[in-house]
Amino acid sequence: MRPKAVSLRAMKNPDAKTSTARAAAVSKRGKGTLADHVTSVLAQQIREGEFAPDTRLPSEMELTARFAVSRTVIREAISRLKSEGLVGSRRGSGTVVLGANQATPFRLDMPGEDVGDSIRAVLRVIELRRGVEGEMAALAAQRRTGAQSLAIQQALKDIDRAAQEGRDGVQEDFAFHAAISNAAHNPLYTSLVQFLSQFLHAAIRVARMNEARRSDFSQQVRSEHAAIAQAIADGDPAAARAAALQHMENSAQRIQAADREFWASAAGRAAARDLARQVKAKD
């Protein structure tokens, strides 16, 4: 069932908190990620005219409060809306709704045989992302501020906390990479990584579920993230690039390493369905 849109008018009346809570409840009830649902609601509102062309979307802070989600989720949703050609950035105005003649959506043309094989499709995206992540980490090592380096370290701690609490850590994983993209001081990297990430949520969830069965995998991921963060903190572009490339390569190997017992389990079958649905939905 398509998530019910939350009217922009709700933000202007005393029932705004009720609408905010309803939006959050809708987003948590579905099978997709929070970013999936925020994107769906905003896209529906734009297409139905609740946000007129050339008008500014609410700020990140407003949307965060409205949907009761993190800024990372809102940024990912906005990135997806940009890739669909529904919104764009305009100096002095922030994020604005685009008219039909301004829409320039970006898509990945996935070969038919790859769409039919969800694992292969995700591995294709990881190959593409590998080069992006490598150069992004190198730039972050050159350009990061002290505050941005601390933000990367905090994101690393958030991943650890998620693992300790028994959560999958998918959102925290992407927040870590988003913090690195911010430190690169090139908004195009941030937009591209967020666009590619929408293909990888289910894949990373599969990897993390498999890692729970393999303590060596879990430690490997922790070490890879720490190596990237340390190289950036040290201001060593070559080491940051190498660490990021190795992390992407190992990520692909971990996805392939899920054994038959895992895929035969109820959790494995559910993950496979989620993975296939997510890849096909982007086709």
Side-chain angles (χ1 to χ4, degrees):
M1 180 181 294
R2 188 173 63 177
K4 181 182 291 185
V6 180
S7 173
L8 178 62
R9 291 188 294 274
M11 300 179 66
K12 301 178 180 179
N13 63 39
D15 294 327
K17 290 184 178 180
T18 300
S19 295
T20 297
R22 186 182 300 116
V26 168
S27 67
K28 292 176 182 177
R29 228 180 12 241
K31 295 182 180 180
T33 66
L34 290 173
D36 291 336
H37 292 293
V38 173
T39 304
S40 178
V41 170
L42 290 175
Q44 181 179 345
Q45 291 178 330
I46 291 171
R47 293 186 175 110
E48 292 180 352
E50 293 193 42
F51 295 99
D54 296 321
T55 60
R56 187 178 70 85
L57 283 183
S59 68
E60 276 187 11
M61 184 177 297
E62 291 173 303
L63 291 173
T64 296
R66 178 182 179 186
F67 288 98
V69 296
S70 69
R71 286 197 174 193
T72 299
V73 171
I74 295 300
R75 287 169 183 166
E76 182 174 343
I78 296 300
S79 176
R80 296 187 191 185
L81 293 174
K82 287 179 179 178
S83 72
E84 290 295 321
L86 295 174
V87 302
S89 297
R90 187 172 298 170
R91 181 171 296 180
S93 300
T95 302
V96 299
V97 176
L98 300 179
N101 61 335
Q102 297 173 289
T104 55
F106 176 75
R107 298 181 184 277
L108 293 181
D109 292 326
M110 196 76 71
E113 61 270 22
D114 284 355
V115 174
D117 183 340
S118 55
I119 296 296
R120 189 195 309 180
V122 169
L123 293 176
R124 296 277 198 198
V125 177
I126 288 178
E127 285 182 357
L128 176 61
R129 190 181 170 198
R130 184 168 54 197
V132 174
E133 290 281 354
E135 292 310 307
M136 187 174 72
L139 287 174
Q142 292 176 315
R143 301 173 177 175
R144 91 287 183 269
T145 64
Q148 287 169 333
S149 185
L150 288 175
I152 293 170
Q153 294 291 342
Q154 182 58 53
L156 195 59
K157 293 178 182 177
D158 290 342
I159 295 175
D160 289 341
R161 184 179 302 109
Q164 291 168 1
E165 294 175 355
R167 293 183 285 112
D168 61 27
V170 174
Q171 292 291 347
E172 289 79 6
D173 190 301
F174 283 118
F176 172 75
H177 292 280
I180 294 173
S181 73
N182 291 335
H185 289 271
N186 184 335
L188 297 181
Y189 273 109
T190 301
S191 296
L192 181 56
V193 168
Q194 289 178 340
F195 175 80
L196 294 177
S197 293
Q198 63 185 297
F199 291 85
L200 297 175
H201 275 283
I204 298 301
R205 187 170 291 108
V206 167
R208 288 194 174 278
M209 289 170 66
N210 194 47
E211 287 158 16
R213 296 157 51 86
R214 294 276 302 271
S215 60
D216 55 330
F217 274 8
S218 181
Q219 184 55 47
Q220 185 182 57
V221 174
R222 178 62 176 81
S223 297
E224 290 165 15
H225 282 159
I228 298 170
Q230 188 60 54
I232 291 173
D234 291 342
D236 189 336
R241 180 185 294 109
L245 290 174
Q246 188 63 57
H247 176 50
M248 287 291 102
E249 178 65 27
N250 290 349
S251 294
Q253 293 177 5
R254 283 189 288 270
I255 290 171
Q256 292 176 297
D259 57 26
R260 291 184 179 181
E261 183 180 349
F262 169 77
W263 291 118
S265 69
R269 290 195 299 273
R273 288 194 298 271
D274 186 26
L275 185 56
R277 183 177 63 251
Q278 193 164 33
V279 170
K280 290 177 181 179
K282 309 303 179 186
D283 179 47

